[in-house]
Amino acid sequence: MRTAKGDFGRELRLAAAELRTLRALHGDPTLAQIAARAPRGQHLSASGISAALRGHSLPSRDYYLALVRVLLAYDTNKIASLQHPDLPQWRNRWQRLSLLRHAQNNNAPAPQPTEHHAALSEQVVLATLRRGEHVQLPPTAEDLGGVWAVAFSPDGHLLATGHGAKTVQLWDTVAQRRAGPALFGHTDRVTSVAFSPDGRLLATGSEDATARLWDVESRTLVAEPLHNSGFVASLLFAPDG
């Protein structure tokens, strides 16, 4: 198997060494034991685990975090939850590795992770809303009917906005432009939006007395509307999603 080279390769090997340390600290399970403890809905193979632990390749984010969750709590006979305090640093480490790999493949300088920029933009937007002021998101069309709700995705890459024109729009916080077409379905002003903890789902609430659940990647509804006795002013996912 070829080993990654350059800055990406060096960072990948350092991250792999930390994964091996994590494995040793929590019971030193075999590859088969790690694979058998995979979170529900995830598949970890012995070969994929070995490649990650040796720094030979970078798996997908979900695969990487599933491996980390197993290692973090293996000695407790459990799987670390998505709210484990150590998980954000591993999520950030995977993102940096992904950026370095992208830069190496395109012979371009590595872009910087966007968590800090996203956190700053979130503070600005929320402070503006608390003051009751209009939020302008260029290039916002004039017919959106104002911004009535905002929510940032867990990784800070997307911003969801609810509008008076019965629509929901996703925005790319890095490129500062729309991330695909608007989501249509509500029949009245959209007053609340919320991302699931893993960022895969988006819940939206409206003055039409319904909440709707969308798949973020495909931008499609994943369930029938949930009906409420009155307009949906706020939404919140449970910590486990």
Side-chain angles (χ1 to χ4, degrees):
M1 180 180 293
R2 295 179 61 186
T3 301
K5 300 182 184 300
D7 290 341
F8 167 62
R10 182 169 58 254
E11 292 278 352
L12 185 62
R13 289 189 290 275
L14 289 173
E18 293 181 0
L19 281 174
R20 294 194 298 272
T21 299
L22 191 65
R23 176 190 183 186
L25 289 174
H26 294 279
D28 202 20
T30 66
L31 300 183
Q33 288 173 325
I34 296 171
R37 189 69 64 81
R40 181 180 301 177
Q42 291 282 349
H43 173 70
L44 298 177
S45 66
S47 60
I49 296 168
S50 176
L53 291 173
R54 292 173 180 271
H56 287 168
S57 63
L58 179 66
S60 69
R61 186 183 71 164
D62 288 349
Y63 195 105
Y64 190 79
L65 293 180
L67 172 58
V68 170
R69 289 175 63 197
V70 171
L71 296 179
L72 275 172
Y74 190 86
D75 52 346
T76 68
N77 293 318
K78 297 179 180 180
I79 299 173
S81 73
L82 291 171
Q83 285 69 49
H84 193 286
D86 291 346
L87 203 58
Q89 70 183 28
W90 290 98
R91 186 180 293 111
N92 293 342
R93 182 172 290 115
W94 181 91
Q95 183 183 2
R96 173 167 175 77
L97 288 168
S98 178
L99 291 169
L100 287 170
R101 179 175 60 184
H102 176 78
Q104 177 174 291
N105 291 341
N106 291 276
N107 297 316
Q112 295 301 309
T114 61
E115 281 79 10
H116 298 302
H117 301 293
L120 178 59
S121 58
E122 179 175 1
Q123 294 173 22
V124 171
V125 171
L126 294 181
T128 302
L129 286 177
R130 291 191 188 102
R131 293 196 300 269
E133 298 176 5
H134 176 71
V135 178
Q136 181 68 24
L137 293 171
T140 301
E142 295 180 356
D143 60 352
L144 288 180
V147 179
W148 292 87
V150 297
F152 283 85
S153 62
D155 63 7
H157 288 172
L158 290 175
L159 173 70
T161 52
H163 300 281
K166 312 172 188 177
T167 61
V168 177
Q169 181 66 57
L170 291 173
W171 304 83
D172 185 320
T173 60
V174 179
Q176 297 187 8
R177 64 185 178 213
R178 298 185 193 207
L183 307 182
F184 294 92
H186 287 290
T187 59
D188 208 332
R189 177 187 301 165
V190 179
T191 51
S192 51
V193 289
F195 282 95
S196 62
D198 62 8
R200 293 181 176 181
L201 298 175
L202 176 69
T204 61
S206 168
E207 290 186 355
D208 65 9
T210 70
R212 296 169 189 255
L213 200 59
W214 308 80
D215 180 275
V216 172
E217 183 175 356
S218 66
R219 309 291 201 267
T220 57
L221 286 168
V222 298
E224 292 296 317
L226 304 174
H227 293 274
N228 193 46
S229 58
F231 78 91
V232 183
S234 62
L235 294 164
L236 185 66
F237 278 88
D240 62 2

